[in-house]
Amino acid sequence: MGHFLPITLEEVKRLGWEQVDVVLVTGDAYIDHPSFGTAVIGRTLEAAGYRVAIIPQPNWRDDLRDFRKFGAPRLFFGVTSGAMDSMVNHYTAARRLRHDDAYTPGGQAGFRPDRATYVYSRILKQIYPDVPVIIAGIEASMRRLAHYDYWDDKLFPSILIDTPADLLNYGMGERTTLKIAHLLSEGKGIEACYGLPQVAWVSQNIQSIRNNQNHLIELHSFEECRKSKRAEAENYHVIELESNKIEAATLVQRHGDRYVVVNPPEPPMTTEEIDASFDLPYLRLPHPKYKKRGQIPAFEMIRWSVNTHRGCFGGCSFCTISAHQGKQIASRSEESILKEVDTITNDPEFHGVLSDLGGPSANMWRMKGKNPDLCRKCSRYSCSMPSLCKNLDSDHRPMIDLLHKVASHPKVKHLYVGSGIRCDLFADNHGWDYFREVVLHHTSGRLKVAPEHTSDHVLALMRKPSFSLFRETKRRFDEICKQAGLRYQLIPYFISSHPGCRLEDMAQLAVDMKQMGYRLEQIQDFTPTPMTLSTEAYYTGIDPATLKPVYVATTPADKADQRRLFFYYKADQQRDIIASLRRHNLTHFIPKLFPGKR
């Protein structure tokens, strides 16, 4: 059996190391599995010959001994809040404190600070002022430029301004992390890393950047954006356009007398590269140190699942996947996927059920442009919206074939597709055949899809297809189940209080759901998170794509009124719903929801 990356000084000593090359500090418990970024980066560095140790969930409240236990690494500290933004991890959409943490043993809350990346990097620079600190992960990646912070309800500067970090590695970081390690290992300073793709850094001299960049875009300064919400909306439009490109520009934003520079991203990973990442010697378990503290919910959720790809070209306005993982799909080979299935099924605790075969969107595996040259020139936010791109190879037959091969494995009793399915990809490409395959053979009886809303004008702002697609999907679902004699359920997922959504839109949603016989379970109040179009619209009151005003429900009362309509069928909600509809002169909805009431 292999070994875990060390998280204690005793483990380091057993390996015979006098000094660690790289120390990774994370807000999550250490789970040695390819679904968790710290393990991926640690194993990638290890495979290149570097000595890596991990400090998971260090205590930031005491004498800081956790941060000191390995001493100064030879190369750098890598810092991440974990697989999830620490503020989303800690707080609900109503800004209420959560009482659990899925990335901690026993699901216990309180093992990471608010804004963990900020806290960890400040502590490390205080203790080790001369050691480079490189921040990465979703929290840093989405805060690489000025951004709206929902929890403090104000515009924040780039995270590089508010922390003493030397460099920010955004997006999926394997290739860039290795390049950083190689440069520092050669004895070069952190400045040598400023020319790498997919990093952000701070400069005092804008002229030298202008002289050394062929394609550079200067954004409105942080100070301008703080004064003008239109300037912030204009910035986001440019940032999104560039993040959608394969060949993007360097972005620069002034903050006072300093300039945050965001270099263009790496090209999309090749199949060989992503295979190599998934084929590293993960033990696929939490570190044994956690055994007495209970199960880690996030690990239990993905333990028996297989990730087929990274990236998403769906372009939903409330999602950060494309900004972090990329718009282009990086697909694993069939051989790599089947190899992982073998590994999982040989686990003595595996009982025959694979919980998922998919990715950010289950049915994007192997989808790409037919003509790569056209993709290199493209800046569309989505390959499927507002219509399916003619250059997109969206053939679903390879996925159907993969499902058959995995399901026929002798140790697999059931294979489910738990990832979200994009029904807007179903055209004349065997998409509905894939849907039929999933319904009949790869769902446990409850298939979840995400129409998000019923109002087409709200869906347009969400960059989601018309609700008529959900109606067609349900029609086909019901037809498949009827023919097969199955009593399965199609479970829709909806969002309230999204920019553009008024109370009358939510009332119509409730009416639509009542007419379709639904009592909703999968619902969410919109939570603004950095670097999404929806968040920028929420903060600015402007649609960044059109620069036109957009209605936003921002007060707790307005948001509560909208959310309450999800529960029209609950007797204890009826009086409050009727009262809010009357307050807003929407009384014509009352008899539709509550016959006999006015």
Side-chain angles (χ1 to χ4, degrees), residues 526-541:
F526 171 65
T527 304
T529 56
M531 211 169 177
T532 72
L533 182 139
S534 300
T535 296
E536 295 297 325
Y538 176 92
Y539 168 63
T540 63

Side-chain angles (χ1 to χ4, degrees), residues 233-268:
E234 289 174 350
N235 267 7
Y236 181 80
H237 181 61
V238 173
I239 292 165
E240 185 184 40
L241 277 177
E242 293 305 312
S243 70
N244 287 334
K245 294 178 182 177
I246 294 176
E247 298 173 357
T250 297
L251 300 178
V252 177
Q253 185 176 40
R254 182 172 65 81
H255 290 67
D257 60 355
R258 293 184 288 173
Y259 299 85
V260 173
V261 184
V262 179
N263 293 352
E266 290 271 8

Side-chain angles (χ1 to χ4, degrees), residues 490-533:
L490 187 68
I491 309 297
Y493 194 108
F494 290 100
I495 297 176
S496 61
S497 301
H498 187 276
C501 179
R502 296 179 181 271
L503 191 65
E504 52 262 46
D505 298 310
M506 289 302 300
Q508 186 60 53
L509 184 153
V511 170
D512 291 336
M513 290 300 96
K514 181 171 183 176
Q515 291 173 347
M516 295 180 77
Y518 275 109
R519 294 191 170 195
L520 298 178
E521 307 167 16
Q522 301 293 314
I523 54 94
Q524 178 185 341
D525 194 25
F526 171 65
T527 304
T529 56
M531 211 169 177
T532 72
L533 182 139

